[in-house]
């Protein structure tokens, strides 16, 4: 219903995925396929903690099976010094907010896979 109302397009879905992502240049809607209250609660909690940072997507609302946020970021073609500085800042601010990012693997401080 929300996807149609906002005219969002599907960005991702795989047979083993727990969620489907719909988006446009303004919004991202994460639709959770398997009902797991703790997942939505945890993601909402993290998004609320991050609202004070300018790089974080604005959190709009959480429903029974979705989270709606602002679209943030853009694809990069090459890594730059600016990228490294931004990543150091974001990681430092995540730590300062008490957010653990267990889905990041780092070889060096700014060399990681999401």
């Amino acid at each position: 219903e929300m996807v149609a109302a906002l005219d969002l397009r599907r960005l991702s879905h795989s047979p083993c995925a727990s969620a489907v992502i719909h988006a446009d240049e303004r919004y991202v809607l994460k639709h959770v396929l398997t009902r797991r209250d703790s997942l939505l609660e945890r993601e909402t909690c993290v998004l609320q903690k991050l609202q004070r940072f300018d790089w974080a997507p604005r959190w709009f609302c959480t429903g029974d099976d979705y989270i709606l946020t602002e679209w943030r970021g853009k694809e990069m073609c090459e890594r730059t010094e600016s990228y490294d500085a931004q990543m150091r800042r974001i990681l430092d601010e995540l730590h300062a907010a008490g957010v653990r990012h267990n889905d990041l693997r780092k070889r060096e401080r700014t060399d990681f896979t999401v």
Side-chain angles (χ1 to χ4, degrees):
E1 209 173 289
M2 181 82 70
V3 172
L6 295 173
D7 193 30
L8 303 177
R9 68 186 184 283
R10 180 180 283 198
L11 292 185
S12 71
H13 177 65
S14 69
C16 58
S18 61
V20 177
I21 306 298
H22 299 271
D24 66 8
E25 291 75 31
R26 301 164 300 155
Y27 304 107
V28 175
L29 186 131
K30 181 176 184 177
H31 177 224
V32 178
L33 301 174
T34 38
R35 177 81 177 171
R36 290 177 33 204
D37 291 332
S38 62
L39 173 69
L40 290 173
E41 288 174 13
R42 184 175 61 245
E43 289 195 24
T44 299
C45 179
V46 169
L47 283 166
Q48 288 174 333
K49 285 183 177 188
L50 299 178
Q51 294 305 285
R52 63 184 163 148
F53 302 115
D54 62 352
W55 50 263
R58 300 297 71 128
W59 168 73
F60 295 122
C61 62
T62 300
D64 290 337
D65 61 352
Y66 68 88
I67 295 176
L68 181 66
T69 66
E70 172 188 35
W71 174 271
R72 279 290 175 144
K74 61 182 178 178
E75 291 185 31
M76 287 189 51
C77 296
E78 65 183 65
R79 190 170 165 160
T80 64
E81 287 183 34
S82 172
Y83 169 84
D84 290 343
Q86 289 175 41
M87 289 313 307
R88 275 194 295 280
R89 177 179 159 224
I90 289 170
L91 289 172
D92 288 346
E93 290 176 348
L94 282 168
H95 290 147
V99 176
R100 290 177 42 195
H101 43 77
N102 296 331
D103 60 344
L104 301 178
R105 292 183 302 165
K106 297 176 284 185
R107 285 183 221 122
E108 297 175 8
R109 188 158 171 81
T110 60
D111 182 18
F112 61 88
T113 304
V114 178

